[in-house]
Amino acid sequence: MSYFFTSESVTEGHPDKLCDRVSDSILDEILKQDKNAHVACETTAAPGRINIMGEVSGSADVDYEAIARKAVCNIGYDSEDASFDGDTCEVNVYMNRQSDDIAMGVNASFELKSGEDDEANQLGAGDQGMMFGYACDETPELMPLAISLAHKLSKRLTDVRKDGTLSYLRPDGKTQVTVEYNDSGVVSRIDTIVVSTQHDAAVSLDQIRADIIDKVIRPVMPTELIDDDTKIYVNPTGRFVIGGPQGDSGLTGRKIIVDTYGGFSRHGGGAFSGKDPTKVDRSAAYYARYIAKNIVAAGIARKAEVQLAYAIGVAKPVSVMVDTFGTSEYSNEAIAEAVKKVFDARPAAIIRELKLLDTSYAPLSAYGHMGREELGVRWEDTDKIEALKAALK
């Protein structure tokens, strides 16, 4: 029996993504000034208002309001025509110093205190929790097809707005793609495409639908997977003029499925944006993706899901799990043991290996954190293929 799977994406102008962009822009500036800073920055957005809150430690001196206004305007919310204006909206800042109780466990791990580890790996996990990484052979970047295409549609919506191709578009937008799989679990066709985009009040729905199909959908979607039965919905409600925070409130970290695998893989529940890399919600999720991608790139499995789990203040993961869903000649247990030999999942080691203190996070705040090979992020590298193969022998 065939089956269907759907994933969605949103543009950088979606109110939740606007909040992610503000939080990550603040994080970038803090880490630029102080790479040892600990940051947890949350942003909310509502009509005419941005609120910034959270905790921070370190020596950085940043202008939170100026960073927020610049981030909002760069998205395209810079006038009343866009229904929200970063230059004139109210910005409130409620950033506090990180709790000493939390800092105590992060700055000096359980292993360091007990003499089991050295200062090079002194960081403890910033919180307890579990993180998942996933990879599969459906796309060149080893991501599930539905979320890959949904992100490409969202990014294309933004590109044609910003380059003037469709100047009547506004920043807010959502996309969705439904993929049909055959009974062997292989992609057979694209069943449904949904694009909803904010627009100027003067443009007609007929023009919007014709332009989106011609300028957004056709350049992105693989024609060999489109057939006469593929359904396309463009602005199915008929009107989308009021968007962004003016139409709906926004919150950092509310699009965690969009940020990862579109629901195709499990998720530990932790958000990424606004968190420095000592927070394993972020760094270990990237590392789990790194592990999973190398497993698939090595040909060890057609698909792989990796779970890393941590205790707060403890450097080493409390568990490492690999599931290849029956697509590997090796057992899950054997691959997990090879992973433990090849990959060092302690927070300090992850930060060093993935160069997370030299990563710009704002560009990752929209269109997904995984599969972003065009950004040159280290967790998309496949440089552990030979080491994994050797560890399995």
Side-chain angles (χ1 to χ4, degrees):
M1 293 288 292
S2 64
Y3 62 93
F4 300 84
F5 194 89
T6 302
S7 293
E8 72 158 346
S9 178
V10 297
T11 66
E12 61 193 47
H14 185 282
D16 294 333
K17 280 289 143 199
L18 177 150
C19 293
D20 286 346
R21 174 69 65 85
V22 170
S23 293
D24 274 336
S25 297
I26 289 170
L27 172 66
D28 283 344
E29 181 58 31
I30 292 173
L31 292 180
K32 180 180 176 182
Q33 295 186 32
D34 181 0
K35 291 188 182 299
N36 295 314
H38 294 167
V39 185
C41 179
E42 307 280 349
T43 302
T44 64
R49 181 176 293 116
I50 298 288
N51 299 310
I52 301 164
M53 64 206 83
E55 57 184 27
V56 63
S57 68
S59 61
D61 181 16
V62 302
D63 187 336
Y64 295 103
E65 179 178 342
I67 294 170
R69 292 190 186 281
K70 182 178 180 180
V72 172
C73 288
N74 283 347
I75 289 171
Y77 289 119
D78 54 3
S79 69
E80 291 186 3
D81 288 343
S83 71
F84 194 80
D85 190 344
D87 288 323
T88 61
C89 68
E90 180 182 338
V91 178
N92 302 303
V93 179
Y94 311 99
M95 292 293 289
N96 300 303
R97 180 173 176 80
Q98 184 187 47
S99 163
D100 290 338
D101 289 348
I102 295 175
M104 179 173 60
V106 176
N107 294 332
S109 69
F110 174 85
E111 291 92 333
L112 182 68
K113 295 172 185 175
S114 61
E116 298 176 23
D117 212 336
D118 56 34
E119 291 187 2
N121 293 292
Q122 67 180 8
L123 292 177
D127 203 350
Q128 71 176 42
M130 63 286 188
M131 299 83 214
F132 288 92
Y134 182 80
C136 63
D137 61 2
E138 292 181 12
T139 63
E141 69 272 25
L142 304 185
M143 287 286 287
L145 181 62
I147 188 64
S148 177
L149 292 176
H151 282 323
K152 288 176 181 177
L153 286 171
S154 289
K155 183 63 167 61
R156 180 71 181 171
L157 264 182
T158 297
D159 290 343
V160 297
R161 170 176 62 87
K162 288 187 169 181
D163 69 15
T165 299
L166 298 179
S167 59
Y168 60 79
L169 296 184
R170 298 295 177 256
D172 200 354
K174 304 180 78 170
T175 65
Q176 187 170 285
V177 176
T178 300
V179 173
E180 182 175 0
Y181 292 81
N182 64 25
D183 55 7
S184 298
V186 177
V187 172
S188 61
R189 57 184 291 274
I190 293 168
D191 183 74
T192 308
I193 301 163
V194 184
V195 177
S196 295
T197 180
Q198 185 188 9
H199 58 87
D200 184 87
V203 66
S204 71
L205 180 59
D206 287 342
Q207 182 180 350
I208 293 169
R209 286 176 171 166
D211 285 346
I212 293 301
I213 290 172
D214 185 47
K215 304 296 185 183
V216 176
I217 294 174
R218 283 179 179 162
V220 166
M221 305 305 288
T223 56
E224 69 275 12
L225 295 178
I226 304 292
D227 58 30
D228 292 341
D229 294 323
T230 299
K231 299 176 286 292
I232 298 176
Y233 299 103
V234 176
N235 281 22
T237 62
R239 179 179 168 88
F240 188 178
V241 173
I242 300 173
Q246 201 66 27
D248 192 10
S249 60
L251 174 64
T252 297
R254 201 156 58 179
K255 286 291 178 285
I256 59 176
I257 299 303
V258 172
D259 285 343
T260 51
Y261 308 100
F264 211 84
S265 171
R266 286 172 282 195
H267 197 296
F272 301 154
S273 291
K275 297 178 181 178
D276 76 86
T278 66
K279 299 348 184 243
V280 285
D281 277 344
R282 178 167 223 156
S283 55
Y286 292 164
Y287 206 60
R289 161 65 178 172
Y290 181 48
I291 296 169
K293 187 170 183 179
N294 273 271
I295 291 171
V296 175
I300 294 168
R302 286 185 48 239
K303 59 179 73 173
E305 183 179 72
V306 175
Q307 184 199 56
L308 303 174
Y310 293 84
I312 188 169
V314 179
K316 292 181 180 179
V318 298
S319 69
V320 177
M321 182 278 292
V322 177
D323 189 351
T324 61
F325 309 95
T327 65
S328 177
E329 64 181 278
Y330 301 97
S331 70
N332 291 331
E333 293 76 15
I335 299 173
E337 288 304 311
V339 164
K340 293 176 187 177
K341 294 176 183 177
V342 173
F343 296 90
D344 187 346
R346 293 173 295 178
I350 292 175
I351 291 169
R352 285 195 302 271
E353 186 167 12
L354 299 187
K355 299 181 180 179
L356 295 181
L357 294 178
D358 299 310
T359 297
S360 294
Y361 293 103
L364 289 158
S365 62
Y367 317 115
H369 292 246
M370 312 305 176
R372 301 298 299 278
E373 294 179 346
E374 80 279 9
L375 295 179
V377 289
R378 275 280 289 128
W379 55 92
E380 292 300 320
D381 287 353
T382 54
D383 54 347
K384 299 290 188 180
I385 290 174
E386 297 307 320
L388 271 173
K389 289 179 178 178
L392 279 167
K393 289 181 179 178

